[in-house]
Amino acid sequence: MPTYLKRTFGDRAFSAITGSFFVIFTLMCAFPIYYLFINTISDNALVTAGQINLFPRGIHFDNYIALLNVSDLFDATMISIYRTVIGTSTMVLTSALVGYLVTQNKMLGRKYVYRFIIITMYFNAGLIPWYLNIMMLGLTNNFWGYIIPSVVQPFNIILVKTYIESLPKELEESAFIDGAGYFTVFRSIILPLCKPILATIAVFGAVGHWNAFIDSMILMQDTPSLHTLQHKLWIYLDTSSNLGNLMQGGSVDEAAIEAALSIRVLRITVAMVTIIPILMVYPFMQRYFQKGLMLGAVKG
Amino acid sequence: MDPYKLSTYKKSNLLMLIFRMFLALAFLTAFVPEINPARLSELMNRNASLFTSALSYSTIGERFIRALNQGWIEQAPLTIAYIGAIVTMLAIVLIAAAFCMSLGNTKLRRLCLMFSTGAGLLGVIGIVILFVAQGMFENASNPARIQPLFPVGIWVFGLVFALTIVLSIAMRFALPKRLPEAEIRINDPTSITGYFYVTKAQEDDTYNLAPKYRLFLMLLPFLVFVVLFSYLPLWGWRFAFFNYEAGFALTRDNFVGWQWFSVLVNNPAIRSNIVRVMTNTFALSGIGIATSWLPIMFAVFLSELRSNPFKRTVQTLTTIPNYISWVLVFSVAFAIFSTNGFFNWMLITLGIQEEGTNFLMDGNNMWIKMWAWGTWKGLGWGAIIYLASISSIDPQLYEAAMVDGAGRYKKMWHITVPGLLPTYFVLLLLSIANILSNGLEQYLVFENHATRSQIDVLDLYIFNLGLGTSSNIPVATLIGMLKSVISVVLLFSANRISKWVRGETII
């Protein structure tokens, strides 16, 4: 071994110090989720007293089963799932179609139309005009208020457009020569070829939809049946709204009390239920996010 | 008309253009609230257009719940009014379809005229239904309470639909006749060759629309969404110039001009709020910008480690917090830092503290705490882009440096860090351009009466001011408007600086 590749004492010290920093920071990131998890499966009395800190004790899964009986939580979960599935699929299809169309040079005013869409990334009117606008369009207290305003995503359109432009032009041209129309070309050539980039934006879109709660809070004020899971979790956590009162007033299902869940257990279990889907799509994100980021660095 | 003449085609195109403009105007009438034919009572929302009325029943029925309970009016007139609105809107949709078809060849234009005639007839039916509903409103058991109204829109739309029918029939005679032969030569002195051919296949046999229009029409629905949800909110800035309260209309009476601007400057309560909010905003953004080199450190040191599985594990686990929402971050904070949480247990076990306290209700050092949460959530994620850049640095540079006797730190400082600076520069400029936008969610979830004074950033202030219990929509709109304008100016300045320094733009 040549001398310059030998590990000196300095090298070892460097590895030890930086390595331990990364171990600590990684633990700080991962431990809270483990902590939430052990608190949902441990004995509820111990959890309420704050006795479960490093290892679970008295393991049981009744808390998750008890949550199934809380009807408003079940509804909120369904709303979250619906908006994630419908919102993501419409957004992905829209991004694909618009991204394809703006690559077509024959379009009337293609360049201006593209700029017209993209420039909306750089300004916004502000929260209040946005809310009043959606209210006047009749989308408040309406499930479609989750979906329609976020269908056209300029950034995703840039990603798809850049991706399509990197594909060989000949594929499209030969299809046109064979008599295919624009829509046929889109459906049978562009869409299959774009799968990687569409998967990337789908994963990010789905996480965005699942995590969104401001829109549920602002737009669905008067319709508790349309609140998303994140919003419900926030209502449970909010220190200014006393959960006990909510339970008495009927805003929160009383089944929660019957299941003898303490407020702490309820909060932590709901949080865990909300995190689980993210952990489930996380491996896919790992596969795609680097690609998405690198593409994001490319300008439209 | 002689089908063999150029003038026939020109005249037909011109008439079609005029007809098309009429169709466009007819289509736009559905979006003007002042002439909504479905607004049959003073109780109905003054700001709703026909489009909105047809889209959701609530714009028609929402304020009649009491009237229905008291028996002042039956459900039937409301339902009939809603059906009328839907039928009228369907006619408008048909008009939009006819508009698109009018861009095509002669055969498609014939179909266009059939559609527009049908639209006119359907529209007349819709207006008649609304007329009937209006009569039922007049004859309700307690007209004084439901305040029936004869909307001017019924006349306007009746006229529009009648005109549509008449014009559609008239346009039928303006279209070129069917071509008698497969191909006809038409003399055109203006073109280079002096003539052009019109073929039966082009004009009469198949529906045909030029690609430029076809592509544009495929995109049009999405452009409508862009206009509705990105450009139309800008029109909402007008609320800053009115004395607006929820549920009331904007009229000449409550137009106040620049009054809210002077309130913003002269009202001591609002002014002191703004000073506090801006202090928080700049402090939190400033801390963020001052520590924006942390992800670089993270990436540089992580890439120096040898074990690949270790690196991958660190990368995977430190990005998890980025994907969970701020509500979930708060639930983590609740689990760890509340009275019975992990952090108190640790302090008690280590003997630092006797009893647990709720750290979430502790309002000291909130700037640092907010920065810490932001870093916890974003550090691993922020490092990824730098890790990707590091892997694209040419390994020959390292080898050459090693031959020249550079050690680990020299290589890090003179090769890796300079390789990351261009990316860092772009992100830094963007974060400076976003200095006013701290985001809403983080501060919303951590806000309570103890933390409020240090946590109230501009986004949160606008949220509370506009949608809180004592809402002041005009001032909230005004502040949001100023924020947007300043942000755009900052962004373009950052872009200009980038162009000047690096020769490349960032947007």
Side-chain angles (χ1 to χ4, degrees), chain A residues 124 126-127, chain B residues 274-286 289 428-440 443 455-463 478-491:
Chain A
N124 68 73
L127 184 72
Chain B
I274 296 281
V275 169
R276 179 173 55 88
V277 165
M278 290 319 288
T279 315
N280 289 331
T281 304
F282 284 127
L284 284 159
S285 296
I289 291 170
L428 183 70
L429 278 180
L430 284 177
S431 61
I432 291 172
N434 279 327
I435 197 161
L436 293 179
S437 317
N438 306 80
L440 172 61
Y443 306 99
I455 222 177
D456 204 1
V457 294
L458 196 53
D459 285 325
L460 184 60
Y461 183 65
I462 293 172
F463 174 82
L478 175 63
I479 298 174
M481 179 173 119
L482 294 175
K483 185 197 149 195
S484 302
V485 171
I486 294 171
S487 296
V488 169
V489 171
L490 281 175
L491 183 69

Side-chain angles (χ1 to χ4, degrees), chain B residues 3-74:
Chain B
Y4 307 97
K5 267 190 184 165
L6 177 65
S7 60
T8 310
Y9 281 88
K10 283 200 164 162
K11 221 182 281 169
S12 160
N13 278 340
L14 184 69
L15 287 171
M16 208 63 198
L17 182 70
I18 296 168
F19 182 61
R20 197 180 297 143
M21 276 154 65
F22 167 77
L23 290 180
L25 279 177
F27 176 69
L28 290 178
T29 50
F31 298 91
V32 184
E34 280 76 16
I35 53 167
N36 181 3
R39 187 166 179 268
L40 299 175
S41 142
E42 286 288 347
L43 292 178
M44 286 182 197
N45 191 342
R46 196 187 286 266
N47 292 322
S49 62
L50 173 66
F51 174 69
T52 324
S53 295
L55 208 63
S56 75
Y57 173 74
S58 69
T59 46
I60 288 182
E62 66 182 348
R63 293 192 200 148
F64 284 93
I65 295 163
R66 198 168 118 87
L68 285 169
N69 287 340
Q70 301 283 339
W72 296 333
I73 189 169
E74 306 277 309

Side-chain angles (χ1 to χ4, degrees), chain A residues 35 53 264, chain B residues 334-346:
Chain A
Y35 180 78
N53 287 298
R264 183 174 168 85
Chain B
F334 163 78
I336 304 260
F337 290 101
S338 62
T339 318
N340 288 329
F342 177 79
F343 194 65
N344 274 305
W345 170 80
M346 210 170 69

Side-chain angles (χ1 to χ4, degrees), chain B residues 119-370:
Chain B
L121 292 172
L122 191 65
V124 169
I125 294 171
I127 290 300
V128 168
I129 295 174
L130 284 174
F131 197 80
V132 171
Q134 206 280 332
M136 292 170 84
F137 269 75
E138 297 278 4
N139 297 326
S141 54
N142 194 340
R145 290 288 191 155
I146 57 165
Q147 305 172 38
L149 187 73
F150 193 90
V152 62
I154 286 191
W155 295 125
V156 174
F157 273 77
L159 190 69
V160 164
F161 289 126
L163 259 177
T164 311
I165 297 173
V166 172
L167 286 178
S168 304
I169 293 168
M171 277 305 293
R172 189 95 185 113
F173 300 101
L175 285 183
K177 291 202 184 72
R178 277 174 204 286
L179 293 171
E181 289 163 43
E183 197 174 59
I184 283 178
R185 181 174 145 151
I186 291 183
N187 292 320
D188 177 9
T190 57
S191 76
I192 300 167
T193 49
Y195 57 85
F196 64 91
Y197 283 103
V198 177
T199 66
K200 208 176 169 68
Q202 263 177 9
E203 289 298 310
D204 286 336
D205 281 356
T206 51
Y207 295 115
N208 198 0
L209 188 62
K212 64 172 183 176
Y213 294 127
R214 209 184 306 165
L215 286 164
F216 186 79
L217 290 177
M218 280 166 90
L219 192 62
L220 191 63
F222 304 105
L223 290 181
V224 171
F225 280 129
V226 173
V227 170
L228 285 183
F229 296 106
S230 296
Y231 287 92
L232 199 56
L234 294 177
W235 175 231
W237 280 357
R238 71 190 189 281
F239 287 103
F241 302 93
F242 288 85
N243 193 357
Y244 174 78
E245 275 175 58
F248 291 88
L250 301 180
T251 58
R252 202 165 293 200
D253 301 332
N254 54 21
F255 179 78
V256 293
W258 301 89
Q259 184 199 307
W260 293 115
F261 283 81
S262 57
V263 166
L264 199 62
V265 179
N266 296 327
N267 183 324
I270 292 186
R271 205 170 50 201
S272 75
N273 273 338
I274 296 281
V275 169
R276 179 173 55 88
V277 165
M278 290 319 288
T279 315
N280 289 331
T281 304
F282 284 127
L284 284 159
S285 296
I287 296 174
I289 291 170
T291 55
S292 58
W293 47 270
L294 274 176
I296 292 195
M297 281 265 289
F298 189 95
V300 170
F301 280 97
L302 187 62
S303 68
E304 286 296 319
L305 293 178
R306 291 175 165 226
S307 159
N308 274 327
F310 179 74
K311 279 199 251 186
R312 253 203 311 279
T313 316
V314 170
Q315 235 195 77
T316 308
L317 292 178
T318 53
T319 44
I320 289 180
N322 181 63
Y323 290 108
I324 64 177
S325 65
W326 278 109
V327 182
L328 284 167
V329 172
F330 184 73
S331 68
V332 165
F334 163 78
I336 304 260
F337 290 101
S338 62
T339 318
N340 288 329
F342 177 79
F343 194 65
N344 274 305
W345 170 80
M346 210 170 69
L347 291 183
I348 294 168
T349 315
L350 294 176
I352 299 173
Q353 213 172 276
E354 295 277 305
E355 245 176 51
T357 52
N358 189 352
F359 289 97
L360 297 173
M361 298 302 285
D362 174 13
N364 295 320
N365 305 319
M366 280 317 286
W367 292 347
I368 301 293
K369 285 180 196 164
M370 286 298 103

